[in-house]
Amino acid sequence: MTIRAVSIIVPDEETLTVWIATAYDVCRDELRREPDPAYLASMIHVAATPPPEGGSKEAMIRVTRLSPEWHALHDRPQLPEAPPRASVCGVQTHFQGIWYETREFGRFPGAFLALLADDDRAAAIAQHQAAGDTHVTMDLTGAYREPAAIYPERLKNGHDWSNDLPGIKARVREAIVAGLFVDIALGGDGRSVNDNPSFGQYNDPVGDTYGHEWLMANLERIVTAFRGDAGSEAPDGEDLTRYMLFRPGYDGVFFGWGDPPGQPDRQPARVLAFGAKFRSILPDGYVCIEHGIGTIPVGEGGREYAGGMQTYDVIMSEFPNWPDRGDAVWQVAARLLGPAYRRPADQPAGDDPHPPFYLAPGTPRGPYVTCAFEFAKFPESRGQIPPDEVQRARDYYRALGYTFTG
């Protein structure tokens, strides 16, 4: 038997520095992370081994690609090509009007997508695709412990992913790989119990939200994880923000970020501050706000949309529960749709004949987008309205001129 002796190259300081720098490059390119000491040691061993087994960057790449970590990262479905802004901001979904057919719970009104079992989640995503949706909604944290709501108890009790950002990121990724964009609500409804609540210190025990102050303190931590930054809580180097629309909360943001009676109301300033904070973290990202019934943010007669509101991309509207209509629909829709607004037959002829178009100025990144997002979810969640009636409501809003609906 012949034993082949393999000599090891002993580097000088300059050569060792080059090897370490090369290992950093390979790890970042192939594993999408910073190298740990164990990885650096293994790559220095490869570099110190003479060719053909080692001794080169190509050998480092070859050995890295044999690792389970590399295969776990690269053998899974890859992200689609990054979309244009108009696609991510053009929200078409069934926030209401779709009922999930699940193995675990049977049939119930669509909600809590991220909390479903793996097979049920995949089936629900397929239902959205079959319905022609481009987006699905997920919650960073949220529950819905309303007694009359007909959701299964496990789902009503919700889940808080704010301490498990890799977990919610994985679920967001599933939807993106399937070809959908994700509208994510960040749990900022209302005002926080203090300036920086700890995990589980909710301002709303029914909805498990944290509020404005918490969101302002945690926004960078959340966004950088979805962006995959080194040093974040999901440092995988994979940027999902290009496929996501970030929403601070539901209609509990506007109105909801206000002050107690008797104090100056700094709610508009908080809306503008959140938009500016988001834009400072993710300059080219996509952010929206959902307002409550009849309350277009932020109350300056439209002047704000040529100013501070330009940090936002999408204005989502909550409307009265179908079949209720009236000025809370017509005057809001007219101001947000502008020339696209088509007066319905049930709007009195003399009602607000020349409304201003708030969104005319657009943003530095492109036009504002508006969506008739919530108009029948409350009665649907209580089993009071069937999907065909929700569709009649959707048809009404599309007839008003809405291209995008929830």
Side-chain angles (χ1 to χ4, degrees):
M1 178 176 66
T2 301
I3 299 177
R4 179 172 175 263
V6 178
S7 59
I8 296 295
I9 300 169
V10 179
D12 56 26
E13 184 176 346
E14 182 179 354
T15 301
L16 181 60
T17 300
V18 172
W19 288 357
I20 292 172
T22 303
Y24 266 85
D25 289 342
V26 172
C27 190
R28 288 165 177 160
D29 290 343
E30 298 294 326
L31 300 181
R32 300 174 188 167
R33 64 172 176 86
E34 297 296 297
D36 53 34
Y39 180 84
L40 286 175
S42 68
M43 290 300 103
I44 289 170
H45 179 77
V46 172
T49 302
E53 288 84 1
S56 66
K57 181 177 181 178
E58 290 71 23
M60 291 186 184
I61 294 173
R62 184 180 68 251
V63 171
T64 299
R65 289 181 177 179
L66 293 173
S67 69
E69 181 182 358
W70 187 92
H71 281 283
L73 184 64
H74 292 274
D75 291 351
R76 61 180 178 169
Q78 297 301 295
L79 297 174
E81 184 177 349
R85 175 181 182 270
S87 297
V88 184
C89 294
V91 178
Q92 180 55 57
T93 190
H94 278 71
F95 182 69
Q96 57 257 294
I98 197 170
W99 286 57
Y100 293 159
E101 304 282 353
T102 68
R103 170 192 52 76
E104 183 177 5
F105 300 117
R107 188 171 182 266
F108 63 90
F112 301 104
L113 177 62
L115 303 191
L116 300 182
D118 291 351
D119 57 338
D120 285 336
R121 192 167 61 252
I125 287 172
Q127 281 187 260
H128 281 282
Q129 291 173 310
D133 289 347
T134 59
H135 290 64
V136 289
T137 294
M138 295 188 187
D139 299 327
L140 180 69
T141 177
Y144 198 61
R145 299 186 186 93
E146 294 280 354
I150 61 174
Y151 298 111
E153 285 300 310
R154 180 173 78 77
L155 301 185
K156 289 174 72 171
N157 284 324
H159 188 77
D160 184 350
W161 300 96
S162 66
N163 236 22
D164 180 15
L165 296 179
I168 186 61
K169 184 174 184 179
R171 284 156 176 78
V172 168
R173 189 186 195 278
E174 288 177 355
I176 293 169
V177 167
L180 295 167
F181 305 119
V182 176
D183 153 50
I184 186 161
L186 299 178
D189 300 77
R191 299 290 303 283
S192 301
V193 296
N194 57 55
D195 286 343
N196 193 10
S198 58
F199 180 74
Q201 199 172 6
Y202 305 118
N203 63 354
D204 177 7
V206 175
D208 286 1
T209 54
Y210 284 103
H212 177 267
E213 289 79 1
W214 176 89
L215 184 54
M216 293 293 282
N218 286 270
L219 183 62
E220 185 167 8
R221 180 177 71 87
I222 295 163
V223 171
T224 54
F226 281 111
R227 196 167 58 193
D229 290 7
S232 73
E233 293 177 29
D236 53 17
E238 194 166 55
D239 184 3
L240 301 189
T241 66
R242 299 171 298 168
Y243 311 85
M244 298 175 67
L245 184 62
F246 290 87
R247 182 155 48 98
Y250 287 87
D251 57 286
V253 168
F254 195 88
F255 288 152
W257 281 356
D259 295 278
Q263 299 183 32
D265 187 6
R266 294 172 49 231
Q267 178 162 226
R270 293 187 182 99
V271 171
L272 300 184
F274 174 80
K277 176 89 169 181
F278 178 89
R279 199 57 60 196
S280 72
I281 299 166
L282 198 61
D284 296 322
Y286 313 111
V287 64
C288 69
I289 186 168
E290 181 187 358
H291 66 80
I293 298 170
T295 58
I296 303 173
V298 289
E300 296 179 2
R303 293 185 301 274
E304 60 269 45
Y305 289 95
M309 286 300 293
Q310 288 188 323
T311 56
Y312 289 87
D313 299 288
V314 182
I315 310 300
M316 288 182 168
S317 296
E318 180 187 17
F319 288 118
N321 293 320
W322 183 261
D324 291 347
R325 297 192 280 285
D327 277 343
V329 174
W330 305 323
Q331 295 204 20
V332 168
R335 283 159 174 76
L336 297 181
L337 290 170
Y341 181 64
R342 297 188 289 269
R343 294 175 67 90
D346 54 347
Q347 182 179 6
D351 181 56
D352 201 19
H354 304 291
F357 179 26
Y358 283 8
L359 306 187
T363 80
R365 300 165 307 283
Y368 287 107
V369 179
T370 189
C371 173
F373 184 68
E374 189 171 353
F375 45 82
K377 193 62 183 175
F378 184 89
E380 180 186 69
S381 69
R382 286 146 176 80
Q384 297 169 356
I385 184 171
D388 59 346
E389 188 63 22
V390 175
Q391 185 58 45
R392 276 190 279 277
R394 192 182 307 277
D395 292 341
Y396 180 86
Y397 283 99
R398 288 184 173 162
L400 292 181
Y402 278 101
T403 300
F404 305 113
T405 60

